[in-house]
Amino acid sequence: MEKLIPGLHHFQTEVFRSKQELYSRLAEAQSPEVLFITCSDSRVLPNELTGAGPGELFIIRNAGNLVPPHGTPNNGEAATIEYAVAALEVRHIIVCGHTRCGAMQGLLHLEQLARLPEMRDWLRHAEPTRRILQESYSHLTGPSLQTAAVMENVLVQVEHLRSLPVVAEGLARRQLNLYAWVYQLESGSVHAYDPELGQYAPVVAVDGDSARARGRFGLRQVF
């Protein structure tokens, strides 16, 4: 807390004043193009990671960057996604996991969550991930298995996204692009799933022609 109060003062006196016109416009309305769904982990900073400024990212954060599928009762994530797509008309949705994710570690060791019943219950939305790991990654252990969990879980959550009516409709009308990212805490790099390769590949800067061919983020959308 000792750092937060001086930080607030710096924002109000330096940052906010230097961008007064921008913040005044944003006070009237927002029009982000991107919905960014990521983990609550304090080491993941979406705006810093992407270089996005105020008003450019609409963000959902929760443990494990999970998207409960359609039909889940009291689905706050679905309500937020619906608002982003139907009201704000975002054009891009990114699901971004990260290496060394505590939620994925918990998914791999549910027996360790006896004192965290709410977390154990929340991770039911990653149950397909756990099954995929059991069926296809039984040869892995330790950090390698956890990294596989992170990568597979992002793809599972993209599938859950697709189950939401507002997202399905946007995809059918070609008004939405979905992306699957994994942020590497160790190196600061981001890997994106490329459906043509069937695997994750590093996100790299591209020239103008390639960027137009591959979309705003310089990579192919998942769907």
Side-chain angles (χ1 to χ4, degrees):
M1 287 297 295
E2 293 178 357
K3 291 184 177 181
L4 300 188
I5 302 305
L8 285 174
H9 180 72
H10 173 74
F11 172 77
Q12 293 163 358
T13 59
E14 302 293 335
V15 178
F16 188 88
R17 287 183 182 178
S18 69
K19 300 178 179 179
Q20 182 77 55
E21 183 178 347
L22 171 61
Y23 282 112
S24 294
R25 291 200 309 270
L26 289 174
E28 299 300 321
Q30 61 172 325
S31 56
E33 291 186 8
V34 181
L35 169 60
F36 198 95
I37 303 172
T38 194
C39 188
S40 298
D41 194 294
S42 62
R43 299 165 292 182
V44 180
L45 304 174
N47 287 77
E48 188 170 299
L49 177 64
T50 61
E56 295 184 341
L57 295 180
F58 197 69
I59 300 173
I60 295 175
R61 303 191 69 152
N62 61 52
N65 42 267
L66 304 186
V67 179
H70 178 57
T72 301
N74 303 316
N75 192 343
E77 279 72 20
T80 305
I81 293 165
E82 182 180 70
Y83 180 77
V85 175
L88 298 179
E89 298 181 344
V90 300
R91 298 298 304 275
H92 309 278
I93 304 179
I94 300 168
V95 179
C96 182
H98 67 94
T99 55
R100 306 196 183 192
C101 178
M104 291 302 98
Q105 180 69 9
L107 183 68
L108 292 172
H109 301 282
L110 292 174
E111 72 281 358
Q112 297 179 2
L113 300 181
R115 297 180 59 188
L116 300 172
E118 296 294 335
M119 174 61 78
R120 185 182 179 111
D121 185 57
W122 172 246
L123 287 174
R124 73 187 187 279
H125 301 305
E127 177 59 22
T129 305
R130 195 174 69 86
R131 292 200 301 269
I132 290 170
L133 295 171
Q134 289 177 337
E135 294 169 3
S136 302
Y137 294 90
S138 59
H139 60 290
L140 297 181
T141 59
S144 296
L145 180 59
Q146 187 171 356
T147 298
V150 169
M151 291 182 170
E152 290 292 347
N153 183 62
V154 171
L155 297 177
V156 165
Q157 303 314 315
V158 169
E159 287 297 326
H160 287 178
L161 257 180
R162 284 164 52 84
S163 76
L164 302 179
V166 70
V167 173
E169 182 179 352
L171 291 172
R173 294 183 177 181
R174 299 185 180 277
Q175 296 174 339
L176 273 180
N177 297 311
L178 305 185
Y179 305 83
W181 287 9
V182 171
Y183 171 50
Q184 309 284 331
L185 290 180
E186 303 84 355
S187 65
S189 63
V190 172
H191 286 63
Y193 185 78
D194 188 328
E196 292 188 356
L197 297 176
Q199 63 186 29
Y200 285 85
V203 177
V204 296
V206 294
D207 60 33
D209 289 338
S210 296
R212 282 189 290 273
R214 291 190 166 221
R216 180 168 181 244
F217 297 99
L219 58 131
R220 299 191 187 281
Q221 60 267 26
V222 180
F223 299 102

